[in-house]
Every structure is written in C-alpha cells, then in structure tokens.
Amino acid sequence: MKEKLIIEVVVGFMYKVTKNGLDVSKFNDEFAAIRHGNYYDFFNLIGKQVDFIVSYNNGEISRLKNVLEEDISFIALIKAGPSLKYFYTRCLNEYGDFADPDLTNNDFERAALFELSLRMHSNNKRLSRERETFEQVIDSLSMIGPDKEVLHQGRRFINQIKRPEKLKTSWKQGLENFNKAYDLMVIKQLTII
C-alpha cells in the first residue's frame, strides 16, 4: 500500500466538499485556487511556514521557509506540508468528516493526485503560477491518440466533481472512465510518487 501525500488528502477532501455543494465562502480563495489548479497561490494563501529547510538552487543555498515560484515540485510540497495540515484541520472543523453518497475518500484523493501529477509533468516538474486549464495541461503532454483521450476522460470526471451541476454521465460511469485514466497515468509513469 502506497503512502499518501498530505496534498492528495487535503485536495481530495476539498473536492468532496465541492461535489457536495457545501458553503465554501469561508475558504473561497483557497477553493478557487484549487479549482483552477493554482497550487502556488493555494500554498501561499494558507501560508504557514516550515520550521526549517535548506535547499540548493542554481549554486546558492537557500533557507527561505515560504513556497517560491521557482521551487521544484518536491521542495514546494515539503515546504507546503505544515500549511496543508493546518488547512486540513480547519476544513475538518468546518465541515466534519462526512461520507459522499457516490464516491469514496480514496476516489477523491486519486482525483487530486491525478490532476496534481499531470500539472507537475506539464510544468516540467515545477509548480507554476501560469494559469493553464486542465485541458491545456493534458494537451501539452507528449501523448497521442487514444491515450490522450483517456486522460481527457479522467479530466472530465474531475470537472464533474468540481462542478457537479454540470454532470453529464453517472458517477459510476465517470468513475470507471477516471480509473482507466488514472491507470494509464501510472503506466506512463506520470505520477509524482
């Protein structure tokens, strides 16, 4: 069993909250950043700094504790860990731990990991501030024909989670399509872990 990243748990929970139409006004900016795949802004919105980290960048040692645009994805995720844990606690206090009638927590977490992984690969393994649609992200990957369409089916499922009022297929069918896309991402080694 693979170890989960804190970001997939937190973003998965945010997806569940969004799908269930709960009031996100208290965390509106954070949810908007996640909905648009803007992880750099998301990390800085929740804003807790790490206690201590040293990184090496272009010949210089850095001790900066906040997430920078130029941080490679791994460093950015480590730096964001305390922020993510803090934000997750706040979200659990606000919404409680509830069950979704259609999807499991694991489904939401895999959806979060799917989008984050493909965005990181598209951004050349960097967390970019550039705002690209998830459709543009998938189109930027070196995938052709049927494989690209399978990934787009996964994207459509995530869009349904983010905007359930635009549901075009059943949750069961959407999840089947998504699982094929997730499996393809793993086979093509586009995961971040």
Side-chain angles (χ1 to χ4, degrees):
M1 184 172 172
K2 87 169 184 67
E3 187 173 330
K4 292 180 184 180
L5 296 173
I6 184 66
I7 192 166
E8 70 186 287
V9 173
V10 176
V11 175
F13 185 80
M14 293 170 74
Y15 281 178
K16 183 167 70 168
V17 167
T18 301
K19 177 190 174 289
N20 283 276
L22 302 179
D23 178 16
V24 298
S25 58
K26 187 172 183 177
F27 307 110
N28 194 51
D29 291 339
E30 293 90 340
F31 274 76
I34 287 300
R35 192 170 50 253
H36 298 295
N38 194 334
Y39 300 106
Y40 173 78
D41 281 352
F42 173 67
F43 291 153
N44 285 298
L45 280 167
I46 55 181
K48 285 184 83 62
Q49 293 182 341
V50 293
D51 292 331
F52 179 78
I53 190 169
V54 174
S55 59
Y56 181 78
N57 188 358
N58 293 324
E60 293 184 23
I61 292 175
S62 171
R63 293 186 189 139
L64 295 175
K65 299 175 181 180
N66 53 331
V67 176
L68 304 175
E69 273 187 275
E70 62 271 9
D71 280 336
I72 60 171
S73 56
F74 181 73
I75 297 295
L77 288 174
I78 290 172
K79 284 183 174 181
S83 290
L84 290 164
K85 290 174 185 173
Y86 171 72
F87 184 70
Y88 185 55
T89 299
R90 290 177 61 210
C91 285
L92 281 175
N93 288 338
E94 181 73 17
Y95 304 110
D97 190 13
F98 64 95
D100 180 83
D102 307 300
L103 304 172
T104 67
N105 286 347
N106 190 54
D107 296 331
F108 289 110
E109 290 164 3
R110 284 169 47 112
L113 185 60
F114 179 81
E115 181 169 4
L116 177 67
S117 296
L118 294 184
R119 283 186 180 279
M120 283 187 176
H121 278 277
S122 173
N123 293 334
N124 195 22
K125 301 189 189 295
R126 293 190 178 271
L127 289 168
S128 172
R129 245 189 116 130
E130 295 297 316
R131 217 177 227 193
E132 287 186 307
T133 67
F134 198 21
E135 184 173 9
Q136 291 169 321
V137 165
I138 291 172
D139 287 342
S140 75
L141 299 171
S142 56
M143 307 285 283
I144 56 171
D147 286 348
K148 186 179 280 191
E149 180 52 33
V150 168
L151 292 180
H152 277 300
Q153 289 293 332
R155 172 189 59 82
R156 289 181 190 104
F157 175 72
I158 293 172
N159 286 344
Q160 287 180 190
I161 289 173
K162 293 177 180 179
R163 304 216 185 272
E165 68 278 5
K166 296 183 178 184
L167 182 68
K168 293 187 177 165
T169 64
S170 69
W171 289 109
K172 181 181 177 189
Q173 182 60 54
L175 183 59
E176 287 175 13
N177 293 341
F178 171 74
N179 285 335
K180 289 176 189 170
Y182 187 90
D183 291 344
L184 178 64
M185 178 186 72
V186 171
I187 290 167
K188 298 292 184 179
Q189 297 181 331
L190 295 171
T191 58
I192 56 176
I193 55 169

